[in-house]
Amino acid sequence: MDKKVETAPSLTMKRRLNATPAEVYRAWTQPELLARWFGPENVRAEKAEIDARVGGYYRISMRGSDGELHQVSGEYHEVVENERLVFSWAWISTPERVSRVTVTLKPDGDVTILTLLHEQFYDEAAAGRHVHGWTGSLVKLEQLFS
């Protein structure tokens, strides 16, 4: 008997950043730095609360150019300073749809290779919306270090 194994949608993105892993790590874990780049185009982070330790939580509030408020939060599952962050991801509007984000930082000479894996999406549509959101965020992160 053939059983089809269904897997939840995911996305992977890579960026080469003109910064050290320590600088990129701080951009992900210090609220004032994260607020400078987090969010897709036409969205800005208004407030970030970050407790980057295993079992710690984060909450980010963003506002779109249309005035709409977007809030995401989650719990840190793995924190390896300057190397790796793993955390849950859930929008306040849909707390039952919990996905998972893994950010890996690898030095490559004078730059850092950032790999972002966002997995366990509710459906393909959610994954597609997050491709847009993460693309805009990572462009702003690149600009932070240019």
Side-chain angles (χ1 to χ4, degrees):
M1 167 166 49
D2 252 355
K3 284 192 174 182
K4 183 179 175 186
V5 176
E6 290 192 35
T7 58
S10 67
L11 66 87
T12 301
M13 296 184 169
K14 287 191 175 205
R15 290 293 185 277
R16 188 176 177 84
L17 302 170
N18 291 318
T20 66
E23 290 170 320
V24 178
Y25 181 84
R26 283 193 299 274
W28 281 88
T29 58
Q30 292 183 0
E32 64 281 357
L33 287 176
L34 185 128
R36 291 175 54 191
W37 65 269
F38 198 88
E41 61 185 323
N42 300 319
V43 174
R44 71 178 173 83
E46 290 186 332
K47 183 177 182 184
E49 300 169 39
I50 299 172
D51 181 12
R53 61 180 174 82
V54 174
Y57 283 83
Y58 71 91
R59 182 180 184 124
I60 303 165
S61 299
M62 299 166 278
R63 190 161 307 272
S65 57
D66 59 1
E68 187 175 353
L69 181 65
H70 307 275
Q71 294 180 303
V72 66
S73 67
E75 179 180 345
Y76 290 96
H77 299 289
E78 190 177 335
V79 177
V80 181
E81 189 171 354
N82 305 331
E83 292 180 21
R84 185 176 168 91
L85 293 167
V86 180
F87 49 91
S88 60
W89 176 278
W91 293 100
I92 302 303
S93 58
T94 53
E96 71 284 359
R97 294 184 180 187
V98 179
S99 55
R100 177 179 149 131
V101 176
T102 301
V103 176
T104 306
L105 307 173
K106 298 282 184 196
D108 184 22
D110 294 337
V111 302
T112 298
I113 305 300
L114 178 146
T115 303
L116 183 140
L117 169 63
H118 195 155
E119 57 191 332
Q120 302 172 353
F121 284 109
Y122 179 75
D123 57 21
E124 288 291 341
R129 288 188 300 273
H130 284 80
V131 166
H132 170 76
W134 282 120
T135 298
S137 288
L138 294 178
V139 164
K140 289 194 247 180
L141 181 60
E142 287 174 308
Q143 292 168 349
L144 184 68
F145 297 117
S146 59

